[in-house]
């Protein structure tokens, strides 16, 4: 655009050889608003840009003429759109989620009330239908939660945070899960700049994925470690599951990339978003350990609190 404009310096509007359509629009605006200022937002589709154009006439006493000012508002508009979408997603999630609990409870009540009044065959059918309702409602609730978390826009509240403490707190919730989780937290590491609620979610999402990957494994094991290195704190969560499938390893952070029948593909997208907001880094890799160990590993770095 800027090169195009340079070639037009000194030319009258009607002689613009490039951006001719744009020149016609400027002329039309000035004719229509004879003597008054105007402003117009133009979408330049082929360039993917949005330009705000303002025109005002100069006083006749100074010889007349016009001033036109352009502002590239592409980024601004994109940010507004993202915020608006986030809001739509949040409300939609809320509206969808509200009726889910009553649906589930109603199904369970039907089963409880009718179960012993039916023939064995009908009771089996009722059991089956109730199970389906409950399972699908649960899946829908999880999907909506992920969707809401992904669309959630408020910026994290960054403050000094003891990462080890947060990790320990989340791991305590997984104690009953049956998966062996080994924590290897470096003592006395400095505080990071973090939002506990958002980082808790990161750890949850990663542990959830590790558990999914270990489903059916005979010796499931998850390792969680923290370490100070290179002026940053590193969090590593690894498992001895199947590892990231080759086909998706490069796109795993994209929303809706999933290899699970009931997956949403939002877990890692949320992780990436949150870590970006913390000005940290996140990398995934497959382990090809010397001891024949395999599985997936996620490494996160976080800046220290000032
Ligand atoms: N620990 C892991 N081991 C193996 N594959 C994983 C692991 N974590 C994530 N993946 C792969 O990345 C995909 C995307 O993960 P995610 O964004 O959390 O979505 P979802 O869990 O809903 O599928 C998963 O479907 C899976 O194929
Ligand atoms: Mg997941």
């Amino acid at each position: 655009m800027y090169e195009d404009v340079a070639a037009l310096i000194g030319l009258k509007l009607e002689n613009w050889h490039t951006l001719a359509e744009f020149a016609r629009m400027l002329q039309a605006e000035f004719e229509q608003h004879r003597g008054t200022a105007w402003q117009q937002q133009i979408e330049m589709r082929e360039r993917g840009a949005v330009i705000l154009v303002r025109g005002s006439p100069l006083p006749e006493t100074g010889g007349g003429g016009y001033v036109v000012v352009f502002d590239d508002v592409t980024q601004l508009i994109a940010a507004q759109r993202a915020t608006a979408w986030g809001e739509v997603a949040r409300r939609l999630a809320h509206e969808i989620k509200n009726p889910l609990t009553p649906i589930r409870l109603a199904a369970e009540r039907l089963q409880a009330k009718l179960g012993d009044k039916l023939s064995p065959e009908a009771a089996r059918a009722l059991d089956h239908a109730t199970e389906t309702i409950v399972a699908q409602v649960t899946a829908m609730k999880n999907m909506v939660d992920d969707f809401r978390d992904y669309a959630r826009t408020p910026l994290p509240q960054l403050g000094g945070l003891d990462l080890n403490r947060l990790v320990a707190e989340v791991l305590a919730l997984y104690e009953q899960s049956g998966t062996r989780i080994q924590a290897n937290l470096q003592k006395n590491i400095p505080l990071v700049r973090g939002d506990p609620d958002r980082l808790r979610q990161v750890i949850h999402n990663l542990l959830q994925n590790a558990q999914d990957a270990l489903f059916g494994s005979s010796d499931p094991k998850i390792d969680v470690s923290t370490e100070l290195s290179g002026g940053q704190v590193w969090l590593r969560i690894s498992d001895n599951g199947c590892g990231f499938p080759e086909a998706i390893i490069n796109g795993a952070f994209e929303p809706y990339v999933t290899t699970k029948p009931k997956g949403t593909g939002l877990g890692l997208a949320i992780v990436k978003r949150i870590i970006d907001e913390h000005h940290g880094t996140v990398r995934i890799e497959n382990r090809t350990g010397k001891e024949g160990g395999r599985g997936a590993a996620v490494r996160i770095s976080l800046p220290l609190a000032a």
Side-chain angles (χ1 to χ4, degrees), residues 86-107:
E87 187 55 24
V88 171
R90 207 182 53 74
R91 286 201 202 162
L92 201 61
H94 185 75
E95 296 299 326
I96 293 175
K97 238 177 97 167
N98 269 344
L100 293 183
T101 306
I103 290 174
R104 188 195 157 131
L105 290 177

Side-chain angles (χ1 to χ4, degrees), residues 163-164 167-168 171 181-187 189 221-228 233-238:
L163 189 63
N164 282 349
V167 169
L171 289 185
I181 303 186
Q182 191 155 23
N184 198 346
L185 311 181
Q186 192 177 53
K187 287 211 177 67
I189 48 173
K221 204 167 141 247
I222 301 176
D223 279 300
V224 181
S225 67
T226 58
E227 185 194 5
L228 172 68
V233 169
W234 293 84
L235 169 68
R236 183 171 188 273
I237 297 184
S238 59

Side-chain angles (χ1 to χ4, degrees), residues 194-215:
D195 177 329
D197 292 335
R198 309 286 270 155
L199 290 179
R200 196 176 289 123
Q201 162 128 50
V202 165
I203 303 168
H204 267 304
N205 287 6
L206 296 178
L207 289 174
Q208 201 60 59
N209 279 348
Q211 283 200 319
D212 291 345
L214 292 169
F215 183 77

Side-chain angles (χ1 to χ4, degrees), residues 237-288:
I237 297 184
S238 59
D239 60 67
N240 62 351
C242 51
F244 285 94
E246 272 315 309
I248 61 127
I249 192 160
N250 288 322
F253 288 120
E254 297 290 323
Y256 309 119
V257 170
T258 180
T259 55
K260 300 171 195 169
K262 291 234 168 100
T264 62
L266 290 175
L268 287 176
I270 293 167
V271 166
K272 175 87 170 86
R273 155 95 64 98
I274 294 176
I275 298 303
D276 280 350
E277 286 170 351
H278 279 75
H279 310 292
T281 64
V282 51
R283 303 250 180 292
I284 55 176
E285 63 203 18
N286 277 335
R287 304 158 61 201
T288 41

Side-chain angles (χ1 to χ4, degrees), residues 15 38 47 69 96 126 133 141 149 156 173 175 207 242 247 249 289:
N15 297 334
W38 52 270
R47 291 164 208 269
V69 178
I96 293 175
L126 180 66
I133 292 174
K141 185 174 162 300
D149 292 339
L173 300 174
E175 253 164 24
L207 289 174
C242 51
I249 192 160

Side-chain angles (χ1 to χ4, degrees), residues 16-297:
W16 282 22
H17 38 93
T18 56
L19 296 176
E21 197 184 328
F22 188 52
R24 273 197 293 282
M25 172 247 149
L26 289 179
Q27 244 167 345
E29 288 290 337
F30 277 117
E31 271 160 31
Q32 197 188 332
H33 298 90
R34 209 162 276 288
T36 57
W38 52 270
Q39 112 171 15
Q40 185 72 263
Q41 191 169 298
I42 327 178
E43 225 179 298
M44 312 192 85
R45 282 221 184 74
E46 68 285 12
R47 291 164 208 269
V50 184
I51 312 274
L52 183 66
V53 188
R54 281 167 291 181
S56 31
L58 290 171
E60 292 294 340
T61 48
Y66 299 97
V67 179
V68 180
V69 178
F70 306 88
D71 279 304
D72 185 345
V73 290
T74 318
Q75 299 283 334
L76 189 70
I77 301 277
Q80 272 170 356
R81 245 177 232 161
T83 314
W85 269 115
E87 187 55 24
V88 171
R90 207 182 53 74
R91 286 201 202 162
L92 201 61
H94 185 75
E95 296 299 326
I96 293 175
K97 238 177 97 167
N98 269 344
L100 293 183
T101 306
I103 290 174
R104 188 195 157 131
L105 290 177
E108 286 169 346
R109 183 148 357 108
L110 269 183
Q111 189 187 28
K113 281 247 154 88
L114 296 180
D116 50 5
K117 297 195 176 62
L118 297 173
S119 70
E121 197 189 336
R124 258 199 311 280
L126 180 66
D127 281 351
H128 183 69
T130 313
E131 256 168 47
T132 306
I133 292 174
V134 170
Q136 296 293 333
V137 162
T138 307
M140 200 155 152
K141 185 174 162 300
N142 289 340
M143 193 181 80
V144 171
D145 279 345
D146 277 3
F147 183 57
R148 182 206 54 206
D149 292 339
Y150 181 67
R152 191 152 68 169
T153 38
L155 289 173
Q157 303 292 314
L158 300 178
L161 178 88
D162 181 345
L163 189 63
N164 282 349
R165 221 172 99 183
L166 189 74
V167 169
E169 184 193 304
V170 178
L171 289 185
L173 300 174
Y174 282 77
E175 253 164 24
Q176 326 287 344
S177 71
T179 312
R180 199 144 48 91
I181 303 186
Q182 191 155 23
N184 198 346
L185 311 181
Q186 192 177 53
K187 287 211 177 67
N188 302 321
I189 48 173
L191 300 182
V192 298
R193 244 171 83 71
D195 177 329
D197 292 335
R198 309 286 270 155
L199 290 179
R200 196 176 289 123
Q201 162 128 50
V202 165
I203 303 168
H204 267 304
N205 287 6
L206 296 178
L207 289 174
Q208 201 60 59
N209 279 348
Q211 283 200 319
D212 291 345
L214 292 169
F215 183 77
S217 155
S218 57
D219 176 31
K221 204 167 141 247
I222 301 176
D223 279 300
V224 181
S225 67
T226 58
E227 185 194 5
L228 172 68
S229 169
Q232 305 213 294
V233 169
W234 293 84
L235 169 68
R236 183 171 188 273
I237 297 184
S238 59
D239 60 67
N240 62 351
C242 51
F244 285 94
E246 272 315 309
I248 61 127
I249 192 160
N250 288 322
F253 288 120
E254 297 290 323
Y256 309 119
V257 170
T258 180
T259 55
K260 300 171 195 169
K262 291 234 168 100
T264 62
L266 290 175
L268 287 176
I270 293 167
V271 166
K272 175 87 170 86
R273 155 95 64 98
I274 294 176
I275 298 303
D276 280 350
E277 286 170 351
H278 279 75
H279 310 292
T281 64
V282 51
R283 303 250 180 292
I284 55 176
E285 63 203 18
N286 277 335
R287 304 158 61 201
T288 41
K290 303 151 221 123
E291 328 84 56
R294 55 186 195 115

